[in-house]
Amino acid sequence: MIPACALEDLPPGESVRIQADVPIAVFNADGELYAIDDTCSHQDASLADGWLEGCFVECPLHAALFDLRTGMPSCLPAKKPVRTHTVLVYDDHIYVDTRARELVDAPAGGHDDAVPSESVA
Amino acid sequence: MRTVTVVGASLAGLQSVTQLRAQGYDGRIVVLGAEAHRPYDRPPLSKGFLEGSASTADLALSDPADEAGLDAQWLLGIQAARLDAATGTITLSDGTEIATDGVVIATGGSPRTLPGSEELDGVYTLRTIEDAVNLRAELTGGASSVVVVGAGWIGAEVASTCRSLGLRVTVVEAADAPLAGALGKEMAAVCTALHDDHGVTLRCGVGVERFSRRRHGDRDRVTGVVLADGTTLPADVVVVGVGMRPTTGWLAGSGIDVDDGVVCDSGCVTRVPSVVAVGDVARYRSAAGHLVRHEHWTNASEQPATAIRNLLAGSTIEDYRPSGYVWSEQYGVRLQFTGHTGHAEEVEVIDGSPDDRKFVAVYRRGGNPVGVLAMNNAKLFARTRRQLTSALVS
């Protein structure tokens, strides 16, 4: 469990990047919190810098859209999903459970059946 | 329509196939690719792929599952030699004929070369995987000095990559101010200053007179570049990035108008309604009424949606409006631009500072924002781009 920030520091429409073993981006999409791997699966761009629209984030570099719920890209140039992580709120602070990624990694099938992160607003 | 043939299997060709299926076309699709490869991404060829941090597999634009879903017949490593638009016949380079109801021209182009570079080893252009593989082998095989001819996007990216590989690099540019057409003089100067930041010499306003050479076995090998002012720049390798020529030779006698590209209306439709053009090769009529052609990734990605809609409708029911988004990565700096600089009257840095190599600038005309340029500020670029989109005119 990795602390992200205080709940009040992540208002709707905002994002924050935190450092786990890989960087993770945490988003507040109209009150719903989501966490995904921060680095775009296409190229080295930070999704925390991306444009948030509904529950999608647009990669700031090449405009590929990622579904924050599943990590799946919706258009080229991204082809692979990014990993999703469970977000928890405790005592008005946001935490990211990076174990979700291990669960996703575990099946031999790879990332294609990425589990949606649970969001707690 | 029972058969649509997409001539060209790069980004614009792949997006055309994707759009045909997405827009409900369930007939036969034939894709012709001059290169032997499945669709691949070209931007990394001057950056990560050339540097060695991206592999061939990383370049793939589709995987077998995507391609199975598209249900197209891929004929790769073969060229279209002729089109008869009146009868709907495409003749391939091996003489095979394909009867087709619709044609999507996505043949892209080939790099311009300089006279004297034919039959001369060590001089490269960069467009295909093979170009990049061969160039990389030279750059990492004992070369110590490189001259890059052309300081446009590709030239700048190649210079940057050569530098990161530890080579001595000189960039030669015939124009006084490289990228001025794309970014305006003031901002172009900021971008070209990146060369100097990283120890790359930029020589502007001087053309290439000829290549110097030595005999190597039964071949000639480049030893340097002789400039119009008499200077000789020694070089183990020369990379020429002076633009491209649209691939339209196969359309001679087809009934399709060709003039620096395939001439189209505002919806990418040629004078024959069943023939459309997309990507680098398409010269379409802009909202301002000019025939324009774009040579960048975003255009190749976006244009097929409109072209295919019009192809399937049988007439132009939608005009193409480009987002005008381009990006470049060089010397560890990320450049992003969208909109138009043409005739912009002023440029204002709205955040950061060009001196810090981190800023966002807005181009205005008649007080209205017409373009945005960002260096190393993707977040603010995305925001500013959104605010301007409604105001942008093409």
Side-chain angles (χ1 to χ4, degrees):
Chain A
M1 196 73 70
I2 296 172
C5 62
L7 191 55
E8 64 177 4
D9 291 339
L10 192 68
E14 288 300 319
S15 57
V16 63
R17 178 167 49 241
I18 60 172
Q19 191 62 45
D21 53 340
V22 296
I24 291 174
V26 187
F27 298 88
N28 183 335
D30 300 326
E32 295 284 319
L33 300 178
Y34 300 96
I36 61 175
D37 277 358
D38 182 55
T39 306
C40 173
S41 63
H42 169 236
Q43 265 180 38
D44 189 17
S46 167
L47 293 174
D49 286 347
W51 183 260
L52 198 54
E53 198 149 331
C55 55
F56 289 88
V57 63
E58 183 191 87
C59 166
L61 191 53
H62 302 145
L65 287 175
F66 290 90
D67 189 328
L68 294 174
R69 299 164 298 185
T70 62
M72 294 298 291
S74 66
C75 58
L76 284 174
K79 293 156 294 189
K80 296 176 212 141
V82 290
R83 296 177 288 195
T84 59
H85 307 280
T86 304
V87 181
L88 298 168
V89 175
Y90 178 72
D91 202 14
D92 288 336
H93 276 71
I94 300 169
Y95 297 85
V96 177
D97 184 354
T98 54
R99 284 176 309 172
R101 193 173 69 247
E102 289 153 23
L103 291 175
V104 175
D105 271 349
H111 308 321
D112 286 341
D113 41 15
V115 289
S117 64
E118 290 168 28
S119 57
V120 182
Chain B
M1 260 182 222
R2 293 166 62 186
T3 298
V4 173
T5 304
V6 178
V7 188
S10 191
L11 177 62
L14 173 65
Q15 294 289 64
S16 296
V17 178
T18 304
Q19 283 296 327
L20 280 164
R21 293 304 184 210
Q23 294 184 28
Y25 172 74
D26 61 1
R28 176 180 177 229
I29 300 176
V30 180
V31 187
L32 303 176
E35 293 181 64
H37 306 284
R38 295 272 163 167
Y40 64 91
D41 212 21
R42 296 187 197 275
L45 295 181
S46 54
K47 314 181 190 78
F49 187 80
L50 189 61
E51 190 188 53
S53 57
S55 68
T56 307
D58 293 330
L59 300 182
L61 281 172
S62 58
D63 59 32
D66 298 333
E67 286 166 16
L70 293 173
D71 188 23
Q73 185 185 350
W74 298 79
L75 302 179
L76 302 175
I78 193 159
Q79 296 186 35
R82 210 160 57 240
L83 168 69
D84 185 336
T87 62
T89 308
I90 294 174
T91 308
L92 306 186
S93 46
D94 66 358
T96 312
E97 290 192 346
I98 296 174
T100 192
D101 304 304
V103 179
V104 181
I105 300 172
T107 40
S110 57
R112 287 181 188 278
T113 55
L114 293 177
S117 62
E118 313 84 11
E119 305 293 311
L120 183 60
D121 289 347
V123 180
Y124 290 85
T125 54
L126 187 53
R127 177 94 182 169
T128 66
I129 285 186
E130 285 76 13
D131 293 341
V133 167
N134 294 335
L135 175 57
R136 177 170 163 74
E138 289 254 22
L139 297 177
T140 57
S144 62
S145 62
V146 178
V147 170
V148 177
V149 182
W153 297 119
I154 288 181
E157 290 173 0
V158 168
S160 161
T161 303
C162 289
R163 198 73 190 119
S164 72
L165 290 171
L167 294 144
R168 205 164 55 243
V169 185
T170 304
V171 180
V172 180
E173 165 64 47
D176 288 330
L179 297 176
L183 300 175
K185 256 191 176 168
E186 193 179 336
M187 290 298 140
V190 176
C191 295
T192 53
L194 292 171
H195 294 296
D196 193 45
D197 289 358
H198 293 85
V200 168
T201 308
L202 174 64
R203 293 280 315 265
C204 289
V206 60
V208 171
E209 182 74 29
R210 62 184 175 85
F211 298 107
S212 60
R213 58 184 73 205
R214 67 178 155 80
R215 199 72 182 162
H216 185 78
D218 58 352
R219 304 267 305 167
D220 277 353
R221 162 113 210 156
V222 75
T223 57
V225 173
V226 181
L227 303 182
D229 65 3
T231 317
T232 298
L233 303 170
D236 299 319
V237 177
V238 175
V239 184
V240 178
V242 293
M244 55 149 277
R245 244 186 224 103
T247 300
T248 53
W250 66 287
L251 293 169
S254 64
I256 303 297
D257 292 334
V258 169
D259 177 13
D260 183 36
V262 175
V263 177
C264 310
D265 69 5
S266 57
C268 303
V269 179
T270 68
R271 61 186 298 161
V272 180
S274 59
V275 180
V276 299
V278 291
D280 290 359
V281 79
R283 191 152 179 248
Y284 71 98
R285 200 160 291 282
S286 71
H290 308 300
L291 283 175
V292 293
R293 200 164 60 71
H294 308 298
E295 300 171 0
H296 53 70
W297 194 99
T298 314
N299 180 65
S301 177
E302 291 174 342
Q303 218 166 26
T306 300
I308 297 302
R309 187 156 296 122
N310 293 332
L311 176 71
L312 295 177
S315 66
T316 302
I317 57 171
E318 180 180 294
D319 291 340
Y320 175 62
R321 292 285 176 268
S323 69
Y325 174 57
V326 295
W327 77 87
S328 175
E329 284 154 76
Q330 38 185 285
Y331 302 112
V333 165
R334 186 159 286 172
L335 289 163
Q336 296 174 281
F337 177 79
T338 193
H340 304 266
T341 57
H343 315 299
E345 289 149 355
E346 52 162 353
V347 188
E348 184 196 355
V349 175
I350 61 162
D351 188 89
S353 156
D355 290 343
D356 297 338
R357 308 298 184 234
K358 179 172 179 176
F359 68 92
V360 176
V362 174
Y363 296 74
R364 294 199 180 83
R365 183 182 182 185
N368 297 315
V370 292
V372 193
L373 171 70
M375 189 180 274
N376 281 337
N377 196 340
K379 190 164 193 166
L380 188 59
F381 175 80
R383 190 161 301 181
T384 313
R385 174 190 183 184
R386 282 302 191 302
Q387 289 166 354
L388 296 193
T389 300
S390 55
L392 290 176
V393 287
S394 8

